[in-house]
């Protein structure tokens, strides 16, 4: 079998490899992917450092052309790359193709941004002096990504890093190297100079750690768990390095008595269970007022009955497998915890067998949960949702905000007054009205607050805040 190698200084390198296993069919090896070392990571950082002076001064047209070419190729290959994504991560084929399209759109967006780089010229408070405010690239950016969006998250970090003139060392999650390899290959062939983008696949404790320990990495953008995020923060402070963290969530969706029942059920089913609940923006807490509670539970469980859990590539599958055995154990452990805590298992909770051996779990709904239970406070990152009954809007809002996290927060209501109040008072980076808490646009800021995020927002124009550093220049006329 071919070994998909690391890209270091423009050369494909590496002979040690790890198997990438399909969670829908554990007999299938998606491919063999290089298992990089700390030495490989140091070499990649050195290559990125050497490439930085020329790339940071490269013309904006060159950057535009390369990013656009990459976006176009990803779009042209969306079905093939989507299938690869579904095979390595387990989201359904339509979800995987949708994510691939989004990756392409992100490259197109930043191809455009490269042509719109600008600064400000303003008068000084002192006569005969001009002031210019410009943005410089940071230098070498370390990119560390999680397994749940194997093509979109790498895209939304690599595209702005390159657009603003930085060079990159990219470490994808070990579980999902295939899409990362594919987009690095596409960018390499699109004409990136040697060393501008380096790929080091391998273990977080080896490759990721070597990035954290290097004084030559000027910025680290990280998406993943809260625990690893804290390590990134501590190591970055040590090196006085800029860092950006996107971490977990325990996103609430409030359903009020006046909600349109169909809209509320669709939003809850989508954001609670699609993508196997493995989205940082998933609604893992449904907070439902008394008047609609019983109707909503009945309608949601009826909807869950109709959802098909099966092989991600199979037509008609709504929910693919859990990503791996470790995550499956986390999910089933939390299902036991929920039962012991006294929540009522209203739907699911069982492992399922399918034609192909995989990590299949029923969508699982706990009712009669309280916001104090561990299943309502800790991120599970699977298709397991707590439903909490509350008296009224005021209690719903207080419950929604009573969490260590603050990524996305949703409300289903037909009341303008409550929707407006919720948008103002939800303690979250993103607020959704009559929409799933998951599912965002690619051209606007993404991120959270409290324990979910740290540092500037990602995506859209706001990405410049992280990937550049502001310079103020004074000139005597
Ligand atoms: P992890 O924190 O385990 O891993 C994230 C990345 O960090 C992986 O590439 C991992 O490598 C790497 N890593 C692990 N240890 C180290 C280390 N010591 N030094 C440097 N890097 C390291 O998270 P998961 O991959 O399990 O992702 C799931 C989590 O991500 C969930 O908590 C979820 O909420 C969060 N997430 C947040 C999003 C957001 O935007 N807020 C979006 C998507 C996910 P490896 O896996 O190879 O060991």
């Amino acid at each position: 079998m071919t070994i998909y190698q690391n890209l270091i200084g423009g050369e494909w390198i590496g002979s040690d490899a790890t198997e990438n296993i399909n969670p829908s069919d554990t007999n299938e090896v998606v491919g063999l992917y290089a298992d990089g070392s700390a030495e490989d990571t140091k070499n990649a950082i050195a290559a990125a450092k050497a490439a930085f002076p020329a790339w940071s001064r490269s013309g904006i047209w060159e950057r535009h052309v390369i990013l656009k070419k990459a976006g176009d190729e990803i779009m042209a290959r969306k079905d093939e790359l989507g299938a690869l994504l579904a095979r390595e991560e387990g989201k359904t084929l339509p979800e995987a193709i949708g994510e691939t399209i989004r990756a392409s759109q992100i490259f197109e967006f930043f191809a455009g941004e490269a042509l719109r780089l600008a600064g400000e010229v303003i008068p000084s408070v002192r006569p005969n002096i001009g002031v210019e405010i410009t943005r410089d690239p940071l230098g070498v950016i370390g990119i560390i990504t999680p397994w749940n969006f194997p093509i979109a998250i790498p895209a939304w970090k690599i595209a702005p890093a390159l657009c603003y003139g930085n060079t990159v060392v990219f470490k994808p999650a070990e579980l999902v190297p295939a899409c990362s390899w594919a987009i690095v290959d596409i960018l390499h062939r699109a004409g990136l100079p040697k060393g501008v983008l380096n790929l080091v696949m391998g273990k977080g404790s080896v490759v990721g750690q070597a990035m954290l320990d290097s004084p030559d990495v000027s910025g680290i953008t990280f998406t993943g768990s809260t625990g690893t995020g804290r390590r990134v923060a501590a190591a970055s402070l040590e090196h006085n390095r800029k860092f950006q963290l996107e971490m977990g969530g325990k996103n609430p969706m409030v359903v009020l008595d006046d909600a349109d029942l169909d809209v509320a059920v669709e939003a809850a089913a989508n954001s609670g269970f699609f993508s196997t609940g493995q989205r940082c923006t998933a609604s893992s807490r449904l907070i439902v007022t008394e008047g609609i509670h019983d109707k909503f539970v009945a309608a949601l469980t009826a909807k869950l009955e109709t959802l098909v859990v099966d092989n991600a590539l199979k037509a008609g599958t709504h929910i693919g497998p859990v990503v791996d055995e470790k995550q499956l154990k986390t999910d089933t452990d939390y299902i036991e915890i929920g039962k012991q805590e006294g929540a009522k298992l209203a739907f699911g909770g069982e492992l399922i067998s399918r034609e192909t051996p995989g990590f299949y779990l029923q969508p699982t709904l706990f009712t009669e949960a309280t916001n104090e239970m561990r299943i309502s406070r800790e991120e599970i990152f699977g298709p397991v949702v707590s439903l909490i009954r509350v008296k009224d809007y005021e209690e719903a809002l207080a419950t929604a905000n009573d969490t260590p996290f603050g990524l996305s927060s949703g409300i289903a209501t037909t009341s303008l007054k409550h929707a407006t109040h919720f948008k103002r008072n939800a303690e979250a980076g993103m607020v959704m009205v009559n929409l799933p808490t998951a599912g965002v646009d690619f051209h606007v800021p993404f991120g959270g607050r409290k324990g979910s995020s740290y540092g500037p927002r990602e995506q859209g124009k706001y990405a410049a805040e992280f990937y550049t550093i502001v310079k103020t220049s004074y000139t005597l006329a």
Side-chain angles (χ1 to χ4, degrees):
M1 223 178 196
T2 315
I3 295 178
Y4 292 90
Q5 295 172 303
N6 285 323
L7 183 69
I8 299 174
E11 308 296 329
W12 294 106
I13 289 168
S15 51
D16 292 343
T18 306
E19 287 183 344
N20 181 0
I21 302 290
N22 179 349
S24 297
D25 180 357
T26 51
N27 291 327
E28 193 205 3
V29 177
V30 177
L32 290 177
Y33 288 85
D35 188 11
S37 63
E39 199 56 34
D40 292 332
T41 315
K42 281 185 193 151
N43 292 339
I45 294 167
K49 190 177 174 188
F52 177 70
W55 181 250
S56 63
R57 288 192 295 270
S58 60
I60 56 172
W61 182 247
E62 182 183 357
R63 295 183 213 168
H64 167 83
V65 168
I66 292 170
L67 294 172
K68 171 104 179 62
K69 237 176 162 175
D72 289 348
E73 182 171 338
I74 293 169
M75 189 64 91
R77 293 173 55 194
K78 66 180 175 18
D79 294 335
E80 170 216 336
L81 292 173
L84 183 66
L85 198 169
R87 280 167 65 218
E88 72 170 344
E89 198 268 350
K91 62 183 64 171
T92 66
L93 190 57
E95 289 172 333
I97 293 173
E99 184 183 330
T100 307
I101 292 171
R102 181 164 171 206
S104 159
Q105 289 165 327
I106 290 166
F107 277 103
E108 300 284 346
F109 178 87
F110 284 104
E113 284 300 279
L115 298 180
R116 285 188 286 268
L117 294 178
E120 289 176 75
V121 178
I122 58 174
S124 166
V125 290
R126 292 169 283 165
N128 303 324
I129 291 178
V131 181
E132 285 168 33
I133 302 168
T134 50
R135 285 181 179 271
D136 284 350
L138 286 184
V140 177
I141 301 282
I143 295 181
I144 303 178
T145 57
W147 49 260
N148 65 335
F149 281 92
I151 198 161
I153 295 181
W156 84 50
K157 293 180 188 298
I158 293 172
L162 298 177
C163 164
Y164 297 114
N166 301 283
T167 56
V168 169
V169 178
F170 167 38
K171 186 232 143 349
E174 212 194 351
L175 272 181
V176 291
C179 290
S180 295
W181 189 92
I183 58 173
V184 170
D185 171 56
I186 288 169
L187 280 157
H188 178 59
R189 286 187 291 97
L192 272 183
K194 285 183 177 189
V196 170
L197 172 63
N198 302 273
L199 171 70
V200 193
M201 299 171 286
K203 292 178 188 61
S205 54
V206 176
V207 175
Q209 194 60 45
M211 276 162 67
L212 302 194
D213 293 342
S214 171
D216 290 329
V217 175
S218 312
I220 292 196
T221 174
F222 168 84
T223 301
S225 63
T226 310
T228 314
R230 289 209 181 104
R231 297 174 82 113
V232 173
S236 297
L237 288 174
E238 186 121 330
H239 293 291
N240 203 20
R241 156 207 299 149
K242 208 169 170 183
F243 61 98
Q244 173 186 58
L245 312 174
E246 288 300 339
M247 302 172 288
K250 197 72 196 174
N251 309 290
M253 187 182 137
V254 168
V255 180
L256 295 186
D257 287 354
D258 64 18
D260 178 316
L261 190 62
D262 292 342
V263 166
V265 167
E266 283 305 314
N270 175 320
S271 56
F273 302 101
F274 286 8
S275 298
T276 325
Q278 297 172 155
R279 291 184 286 189
C280 48
T281 47
S283 302
S284 44
R285 291 185 299 143
L286 300 174
I287 300 166
V288 185
T289 49
E290 272 169 355
I292 198 171
H293 179 275
D294 294 355
K295 264 187 292 178
F296 179 76
V297 170
L300 181 58
T301 45
K303 171 80 188 176
L304 296 183
E305 288 282 358
T306 68
L307 299 181
V308 177
V309 181
D310 207 334
N311 191 310
L313 291 180
K314 214 167 167 178
T317 296
H318 297 106
I319 300 175
V322 172
V323 73
D324 72 348
E325 199 163 4
K326 187 165 156 245
Q327 182 62 49
L328 186 66
K329 175 154 183 357
T330 304
D331 297 349
T332 50
D333 283 353
Y334 271 107
I335 292 170
E336 282 312 308
I337 290 169
K339 288 181 197 163
Q340 281 160 21
E341 286 180 311
K344 181 178 160 202
L345 186 60
F347 191 89
E350 299 293 329
L351 300 181
I352 326 175
S353 291
R354 289 291 178 251
E355 211 176 312
T356 47
F359 307 113
Y360 300 110
L361 174 65
Q362 286 181 317
T364 300
L365 178 69
F366 279 107
T367 55
E368 310 304 335
T370 69
N371 202 42
E372 286 68 45
M373 291 176 177
R374 282 183 64 195
I375 54 164
S376 305
R377 297 210 80 75
E378 298 168 15
E379 185 181 50
I380 301 172
F381 219 54
V384 184
V385 171
S386 307
L387 193 146
I388 301 162
R389 185 200 299 256
V390 290
K391 190 162 53 57
D392 53 18
Y393 169 74
E394 283 68 30
E395 190 184 346
L397 175 66
T399 307
N401 286 339
D402 179 10
T403 168
F405 297 105
L407 188 56
S408 184
S409 196
I411 188 165
T413 179
T414 51
S415 152
L416 181 61
K417 182 179 136 197
H418 286 140
T420 307
H421 190 270
F422 191 80
K423 280 193 275 184
R424 282 205 194 114
N425 293 285
E427 292 169 6
M430 295 171 292
V431 181
M432 308 290 180
V433 179
N434 293 321
L435 287 166
T437 53
V440 296
D441 285 3
F442 64 86
H443 67 307
V444 291
F446 175 93
R449 53 168 94 169
K450 301 203 289 194
S452 290
S453 303
Y454 185 90
R457 289 285 183 259
E458 301 202 71
Q459 301 190 57
K461 282 189 172 307
Y462 285 66
E465 287 305 319
F466 177 72
Y467 293 97
T468 63
I469 188 149
V470 169
K471 180 180 277 170
T472 314
S473 311
Y474 297 81
T475 309
L476 179 63

